[in-house]
Amino acid sequence: MSKQNPPDIAVGLRLSWPIALIGIVVIKAVLSLAVKPGPLVVSYSAISYLLLLLLAMTFAIRNGIQNTLGARPFWVLLATGFGMWATSQFLNLYYAFALDSDVPNTSIADPALFLHVVPLLAAVAILPHRKNGDHQLQRWILNSLLITFVWTFLYGFTVFPDQYLFSSATSYGLRFDILYMLENLTFVAAVFILALRSQPPWRTVYLHLLGASVLYAISSNFANLAIDSGGYVNGKLYGLGLIASVCWFVWVPLCARHMTHAEQSSSSSQERQGLEASVWAMLSVALISIPIVWELLRRDQGSTARTIRLIVAVVAIVCLASTAYIKEYLAKRELIFDVQLANERLRLALKAGSTVAWETDLKRGGTVWLGDLPTTFGILSDTYTAAPEEFLHRVHPDDRQRVSEAVDNARQNRKTYESEFRVVRSDGAIRWLTARGEFYYAPNGTAERMLGVSLDITERKRAEAALRESEERFRSVFRDAGVGMVVVSPEGYFIAANGTFCDYLGYTEKELIGTHVRSVTLPEDWPAFSKKLENALSGEHTFQRFEKRCLHKNGSLVHTENTASLIRSSEGTAQYFVGEVLDVTKRKELEEALSRANQQLIQAQEQERIRIARELHDDISQRLALLAIRLEQLEQDVDVSPRSLHGHVRELQTEVEEVSTSIQNLSHELHSSKLDYLGAVAAMRSWCKEFSEKQRMQIQFESHNVPNYLPPEISLCLFRVLQEALHNAAKHSGVKNFSVRLSEDCGDIHLAIADEGAGFDTEAAMMGRGLGLTSMRERIRLVNGELSIESQPMRGTTIHARVPFNANSQSARATG
């Protein structure tokens, strides 16, 4: 359905057509009542009847071409019915005026008159108020053919034999009248049902069609009865009814056309009320004119009475016309005030909502903008008049082509124009707008006017951009984080997981999404973990930190440290958990290893204390006790001679020296004072000599280019490594010959302890429970050195300890 401009001209036509049709009826009434039946009355009635039918057919054809109310088949069928009706009336005129005879029964005038109702029935049978899409054409064709067949059959079966075969005028007339009456009643009933079941605007069309068909059915049946009885008179009321019904049929397509122009607003409603009042006033004037004409044509009364009646009628006409004019004038003033008030409300609403409305006259080339122009365009006014192309000039250059294409597409396809774009204000600022508009078209399909509104959505766009930027930052942090990141639903299902978390557990993100967290949690840890999630959902805590053990895809155990935050909507509804997961498996393993090392260190310390205590108790303490006993015996032996006393004292002195030496050796085992006073080379050489004598083995010690002074931490480190290595060699090698070499090589101090004994598996030894090799490696690591072991079963063992040493800096420190 084409949209039109606000129909100022159509309003006038809507007023003039009813007046014209009513005028025709009034003239017919005057001629019927005031003039005796004659050629003038017959000619006027017959010709006006034909012209009205042709006019109704023309208007219906026009509506069909323009697809008025979206029901082209309805108007085509209506025009067909009016055309057949006009054909019947033309034949009546032809026989009456051209041949000067009555229409014979064998003429096609009566079949055309009868069958003209069939297209009217088909028109209402297609239910034009319903939209049935692509199948509508097929449906109305089938309905039309079906109805045509039914009524043609009835006519052929009931009327045709008496009309053409048996030539029984009485029987033919009666049969025709009865069937024609049934046909009209069927049409009336169908229109009545549609009027009850439809909605405006179709209900209005159906009601007009119902009124016209009822009036015609009554008048035509009375006229047919009069014709059959031979008493038909042109001035009777049924003739007036026929003219009135045809005028009403003319109004049906006009009414539908005018309804397409109607504006759905309160102001247009008030305007219609004013027009209806004017129509009733004009109708009253027309009705009053009937007795005026009647009085002018009468000759049986005196001039005084006629003059008085004419004066009364004229005064009544003047009063009615004046009243109608005043009422219409006041209604228009009220309408103008309402329009101004509505415009002011519209302006305030547009300004409050940062909205701009526009109206473009495409025919004359002008555009009016109104609303919040300062915010949107930087125009310091509430209204602005511009050329249609100025709008596109204000659109951002990057959006201009897209907006132009959207406008052209909406105009060509008769759709609502919708678009979002940027405009550049007078001060250079950029604003975002969302626009919506509609085109209004002339009867020929040309777009004449465009109305629309645009809303400033700059703040919304900025908020959306900020939100996208925030989401992008979160997405980047989430995906590229060096720790595991997960998003979990309140029910505990994975929504997203980054690559680090997937690496922790050996799954892909696709495998995790939709999986419950419980499936990757150690069953023993699930109750405590689920309790923390329930506390967060209940509102007790929104931020949770906890440790739990997870299951790797290969079944191994993964220790994790987790932090989870519950994200809620603005209404407080829980949306999802965002979790940060750190794999602490290695840390846990190191802690466990450190714990085991501490336990071993404590055990080693206890064993060392036991050894020292055993040394003190089993050797030194017993020897000191024996020395005390001998001193006591010597004191009690009064008969001892001086020479014998001197010998006993010498023996006791020797024993004291031996005890002192043992204590000194034990002290050297714990800490050698020679390291502090003589240096590493002398201390290590001395210790090797003492250890070899004590263990009854041969140790060959060599040193090359080793500085006299080494830092205390390096001296002590190498000394302890030497002690540990020789103790282990003496215990496990099975040989009595060892070599020790201490040298300086390329800025490093190198210590090598070698034997040709049984050897051992170095990897198995490092994984064992002993602390010898571990303590040596840890000591070397503390001075940034390296420890390597070369050993094979039955091929001997060589331990290399290399410690970095800067001789120049150390000599400078010693002299400084």
Side-chain angles (χ1 to χ4, degrees):
M1 181 176 62
S2 301
K3 296 177 181 177
Q4 306 291 333
N5 295 331
D8 298 334
I9 298 176
V11 170
L13 291 175
R14 189 177 182 185
L15 178 63
S16 60
W17 274 111
I19 295 176
L21 295 175
I22 291 173
I24 294 174
V25 175
V26 169
I27 295 174
K28 171 63 177 176
V30 170
L31 292 176
S32 298
L33 298 175
V35 180
K36 293 181 180 181
L40 175 63
V41 176
V42 174
S43 299
Y44 173 80
S45 299
I47 295 174
S48 62
Y49 198 81
L50 176 62
L51 293 178
L52 287 172
L53 289 174
L54 293 175
L55 194 61
M57 181 184 68
T58 302
F59 289 156
I61 292 173
R62 182 182 64 177
N63 285 3
I65 294 173
Q66 297 180 356
N67 198 24
T68 302
L69 296 179
R72 180 175 286 115
F74 174 79
W75 300 114
V76 170
L77 291 172
L78 218 61
T80 303
F82 293 150
M84 296 176 68
W85 194 355
T87 300
S88 174
Q89 182 61 22
F90 172 76
L91 291 175
N92 289 330
L93 284 175
Y94 174 75
Y95 278 100
F97 293 101
L99 302 181
D100 194 19
S101 65
D102 295 332
V103 179
N105 292 340
T106 58
S107 171
I108 63 171
D110 285 350
L113 179 65
F114 177 84
L115 293 177
H116 92 273
V117 184
V118 174
L120 302 184
L121 281 168
V124 298
I126 65 174
L127 307 178
H129 58 283
R130 296 183 181 178
K131 304 299 180 183
N132 296 316
D134 298 334
H135 300 291
Q136 186 178 14
L137 180 62
Q138 177 183 357
R139 183 172 56 81
W140 77 262
I141 292 176
L142 292 176
N143 288 349
S144 301
L145 292 176
L146 179 62
I147 293 173
T148 302
F149 173 78
V150 169
W151 286 103
T152 302
F153 165 75
L154 291 175
Y155 186 85
F157 183 84
T158 305
V159 180
F160 183 83
D162 292 333
Q163 181 180 7
Y164 293 104
L165 300 179
F166 305 110
S167 300
S168 175
T170 303
S171 177
Y172 160 70
L174 181 61
R175 289 174 179 270
F176 181 89
D177 292 345
I178 293 174
L179 187 61
Y180 191 58
M181 180 180 65
L182 292 175
E183 185 183 32
N184 280 280
L185 292 178
T186 302
F187 179 64
V188 169
V191 177
F192 177 74
I193 293 173
L194 289 185
L196 292 178
R197 294 184 177 182
S198 61
Q199 299 295 328
W202 276 103
R203 175 174 290 179
T204 303
V205 175
Y206 290 149
L207 288 176
H208 282 297
L209 195 60
L210 177 64
S213 60
V214 168
L215 182 60
Y216 175 74
I218 295 173
S219 302
S220 63
N221 280 284
F222 276 107
N224 288 338
L225 292 175
I227 292 174
D228 292 340
S229 63
Y232 178 80
V233 179
N234 192 25
K236 295 292 184 178
L237 289 177
Y238 44 73
L240 180 62
L242 290 174
I243 287 290
S245 65
V246 174
C247 290
W248 208 336
F249 277 118
V250 172
W251 175 244
V252 170
L254 287 174
C255 172
R257 179 175 174 80
H258 295 330
M259 279 190 294
T260 62
H261 306 310
E263 297 181 2
Q264 306 298 323
S265 64
S266 60
S267 60
S268 61
S269 177
Q270 294 175 358
E271 183 178 358
R272 276 198 304 273
Q273 293 176 1
L275 290 175
E276 290 172 1
S278 300
V279 169
W280 284 111
M282 297 300 292
L283 180 60
S284 300
V285 171
L287 292 176
I288 293 175
S289 63
I290 295 176
I292 295 177
V293 175
W294 175 260
E295 191 64 29
L296 290 175
L297 295 176
R298 291 185 63 184
R299 296 285 186 257
D300 56 345
Q301 289 188 354
S303 59
T304 303
R306 186 185 303 113
T307 302
I308 293 175
R309 291 192 179 95
L310 291 176
I311 292 174
V312 171
V314 170
V315 170
I317 291 174
V318 172
C319 292
L320 285 173
S322 301
T323 302
Y325 174 79
I326 295 172
K327 181 178 178 62
E328 187 172 353
Y329 173 76
L330 293 176
K332 287 183 177 180
R333 287 199 57 180
E334 184 178 359
L335 178 61
I336 292 172
F337 174 77
D338 291 342
V339 169
Q340 292 175 347
L341 181 60
N343 287 337
E344 183 64 19
R345 291 173 178 171
L346 175 62
R347 185 186 65 81
L348 293 175
L350 292 175
K351 191 170 183 180
S354 298
T355 305
V356 173
W358 77 87
E359 179 180 357
T360 301
D361 190 339
L362 301 174
K363 187 175 182 179
R364 298 179 178 84
T367 300
V368 177
W369 299 348
L370 66 155
D372 191 11
L373 300 179
T375 300
T376 305
F377 295 106
I379 299 173
L380 302 179
S381 175
D382 291 337
T383 58
Y384 181 73
T385 302
E389 60 272 8
E390 183 176 346
F391 172 74
L392 278 179
H393 292 162
R394 292 180 179 268
V395 175
H396 193 281
D398 296 342
D399 299 342
R400 196 169 293 163
Q401 182 177 356
R402 178 167 53 83
V403 172
S404 178
E405 291 175 353
V407 172
D408 293 340
N409 181 59
R411 174 163 36 189
Q412 294 173 5
N413 298 318
R414 299 198 175 193
K415 300 190 305 183
T416 299
Y417 157 70
E418 293 180 324
S419 181
E420 286 188 3
F421 52 89
R422 293 164 292 178
V423 295
V424 182
R425 295 196 332 178
S426 303
D427 56 2
I430 297 177
R431 307 292 295 182
W432 272 94
L433 302 181
T434 178
R436 181 184 179 93
E438 292 186 351
F439 285 94
Y440 293 82
Y441 301 85
N444 60 4
T446 303
E448 291 188 342
R449 192 176 299 273
M450 182 184 184
L451 301 179
V453 294
S454 61
L455 176 65
D456 191 315
I457 57 171
T458 304
E459 298 304 322
R460 191 193 80 186
K461 284 291 185 179
R462 290 174 180 172
E464 290 175 353
L467 179 60
R468 284 195 300 269
E469 184 179 355
S470 175
E471 290 177 347
E472 187 60 33
R473 285 199 302 267
F474 175 76
R475 187 178 295 107
S476 177
V477 171
F478 183 86
R479 296 297 179 190
D480 302 333
V483 297
M485 298 289 294
V486 293
V487 178
V488 180
S489 69
E491 295 76 21
Y493 293 92
F494 285 105
I495 299 174
N498 70 347
T500 305
F501 181 81
C502 294
D503 293 340
Y504 287 167
L505 302 185
Y507 293 95
T508 64
E509 184 180 17
K510 186 177 180 180
E511 292 174 329
L512 288 174
I513 292 176
T515 304
H516 202 275
V517 178
R518 187 171 187 172
S519 64
V520 296
T521 302
L522 191 68
E524 290 81 353
D525 291 355
W526 174 250
F529 175 65
S530 61
K531 183 65 175 178
K532 289 183 178 293
L533 297 181
E534 291 175 2
N535 292 339
L537 291 172
S538 64
E540 296 180 9
H541 303 282
T542 58
F543 183 85
Q544 298 285 335
R545 184 184 297 275
F546 47 88
E547 291 186 3
K548 74 181 182 74
R549 291 167 291 178
C550 297
L551 296 173
H552 195 276
K553 187 177 182 179
N554 59 16
S556 61
L557 200 62
V558 180
H559 292 266
T560 61
E561 189 175 85
N562 303 267
T563 301
S565 298
L566 178 61
I567 308 301
R568 297 182 181 272
S569 64
S570 57
E571 293 81 13
T573 304
Q575 292 185 307
Y576 49 84
F577 288 97
V578 176
E580 179 182 312
V581 183
L582 182 64
D583 185 352
V584 294
T585 305
K586 292 184 178 179
R587 191 187 76 186
K588 287 291 184 180
E589 293 174 351
L590 291 175
E591 289 176 353
E592 293 176 1
L594 180 60
S595 177
R596 290 194 300 269
N598 290 335
Q599 292 176 2
Q600 293 175 354
L601 180 60
I602 292 172
Q603 293 175 0
Q605 289 175 347
E606 291 300 324
Q607 291 175 0
E608 185 67 14
R609 289 189 179 100
I610 292 172
R611 185 185 68 82
I612 295 172
R614 186 181 297 114
E615 290 280 349
L616 293 174
H617 179 270
D618 296 344
D619 184 16
I620 296 175
S621 295
Q622 292 181 7
R623 290 164 67 184
L624 288 175
L626 182 60
L627 182 60
I629 292 173
R630 293 185 65 185
L631 286 173
E632 183 179 358
Q633 290 177 352
L634 182 62
E635 180 182 6
Q636 294 177 358
D637 191 1
V638 294
D639 296 331
V640 66
S641 62
R643 181 180 294 277
S644 177
L645 179 62
H646 181 71
H648 286 298
V649 171
R650 291 286 298 179
E651 291 177 1
L652 292 174
Q653 184 179 2
T654 300
E655 289 182 8
V656 170
E657 289 177 355
E658 289 177 356
V659 171
S660 176
T661 300
S662 297
I663 293 174
Q664 185 179 8
N665 290 336
L666 183 59
S667 175
H668 286 172
E669 286 285 339
L670 298 176
H671 181 73
S672 177
S673 60
K674 294 179 181 180
L675 282 174
D676 299 330
Y677 298 106
L678 300 180
V681 176
M684 296 173 73
R685 187 188 303 274
S686 174
W687 189 87
C688 287
K689 181 179 178 182
E690 294 172 358
F691 186 76
S692 65
E693 293 174 351
K694 182 178 179 181
Q695 299 291 335
R696 294 181 179 86
M697 61 178 59
Q698 295 293 328
I699 300 176
Q700 183 181 355
F701 182 86
E702 297 179 3
S703 66
H704 297 280
N705 301 325
V706 179
N708 293 328
Y709 175 81
L710 289 176
E713 63 274 10
I714 295 178
S715 298
L716 181 60
C717 173
L718 295 176
F719 187 78
R720 295 303 185 194
V721 170
L722 174 64
Q723 286 181 314
E724 187 68 35
L726 287 177
H727 274 297
N728 290 340
K731 185 183 298 184
H732 301 292
S733 66
V735 297
K736 296 295 183 179
N737 296 319
F738 305 93
S739 65
V740 178
R741 180 181 176 85
L742 185 66
S743 62
E744 189 273 336
D745 182 18
C746 298
D748 293 341
I749 302 299
H750 182 211
L751 173 64
I753 302 100
D755 66 70
E756 295 182 357
F760 59 92
D761 186 348
T762 57
E763 294 184 2
M766 292 299 297
M767 296 295 294
R769 299 178 62 85
L771 285 177
L773 296 178
T774 302
S775 63
M776 286 191 292
R777 180 161 291 178
E778 289 300 315
R779 286 182 182 275
I780 292 297
R781 188 181 63 82
L782 291 175
V783 292
N784 299 321
E786 295 179 359
L787 181 73
S788 62
I789 302 173
E790 299 175 1
S791 180
Q792 293 182 0
M794 307 307 295
R795 293 189 180 183
T797 301
T798 301
I799 297 177
H800 299 276
R802 186 179 295 274
V803 179
F805 171 72
N806 192 333
N808 294 330
S809 62
Q810 296 298 333
S811 61
R813 183 186 302 173
T815 58

